[in-house]
Amino acid sequence: DGGDLVLYYQPQIDLASGTVIGVEALVRWPQAGSTPIPPDEFIYIAEHTGLIRPLTRLVLDLAVAQAKRWRDQGRDLRMSLNLSPHNLIEPGIVDTIAATLAAASVPPDRVMMELTESTVMANPKRTLGVLHELRELGVGIAIDDFGTGHSSLAYLTTLPATELKIDKSFVLAIGADPTADSIVRSVIDLGRNLDLGVIAEGVETQAQADRLVELGCVEAQGYLYSRPVPPEQIPATLRRLNQAWLRPLASATQ
Ligand code: C2E
Ligand code: CA
Ligand code: CA
């Protein structure tokens, strides 16, 4: 209500071409004269006080408004958002998302909803219905923190997901821990066999990125490319990543 929460954006990279394909919106709560409160902390509290619904609505509004601003400038960045388990049992959540996107003329297929594997597993029956509605709307669905949620492969194949996001604990251990290497390789193969996109999060070193390319990973995100930054730093960040300011939109007049 105080208008304190803001969104930072972290680029997601196509490993083969180096192109920035999109950004993940990550909420921040800056504190005057002090370090920001980590989202893990206040999201947890929001989830246990009923505040996660208004929080998610705010994040949705801010991210879609930003996507619209970039689109109005001819910049077509896919926007990824995080949803909580509580959002999936919220009546009308898909209608709200649809209406917000429509009001801003942001095409649903340029938006990705990230749900952690444990979220999806928390209430499989209910979740499945909402995920199908989201897919019908046309938004992408990424299974976040993949590899940590103990989902059965049989269940996974029934999910209408479009992307697996390999948890950073495995990505950060590539090269150092042979088990992590095997897990990352298995997730990449699984994604390929199920026809899902695969993105690695938490890529911090060039050696990790090189290994991911060897293993056939398509997309990556991490401090190697950029930390999450406020929206006004996105143009400079993309320039540093050697992007001509993205594909111009056909409709854009600039
Ligand atoms: P997440 O969705 O798994 O987000 C990835 C986290 O990894 C982010 O932390 C990001 O800053 C961090 N990260 C990115 N690249 C690297 C890297 O190369 N190395 C390392 N060590 N970390 C990296 P952040 O922003 O602190 O967010 C933490 C968690 O808070 C998120 O995890 C997500 O679960 C939650 N969160 C953040 N924003 C939102 C939101 O708008 N809604 C909801 N429901 N949850 C959110
Ligand atoms: Ca995420
Ligand atoms: Ca994650």
Side-chain angles (χ1 to χ4, degrees), residues 213-226:
V213 170
E214 275 172 21
L215 293 172
C217 191
V218 181
E219 298 173 7
Q221 176 180 351
Y223 297 166
L224 174 64
Y225 308 102
S226 171

Side-chain angles (χ1 to χ4, degrees), residues 24 26 82 114 144 165 201:
E24 178 180 4
L26 292 156
N82 293 283
E114 298 194 358
D144 205 349
K165 195 163 190 183
E201 69 174 9

Side-chain angles (χ1 to χ4, degrees), residues 7-47:
L7 295 183
Y8 275 34
Y9 298 90
Q10 187 177 33
Q12 299 178 327
I13 314 288
D14 176 80
L15 280 166
S17 64
T19 319
V20 176
I21 47 178
V23 293
E24 178 180 4
L26 292 156
V27 69
R28 293 288 179 267
W29 190 358
Q31 304 294 308
S34 171
T35 49
I37 302 174
D40 284 330
E41 255 173 57
F42 64 84
I43 295 276
Y44 177 85
I45 295 170
E47 284 175 339

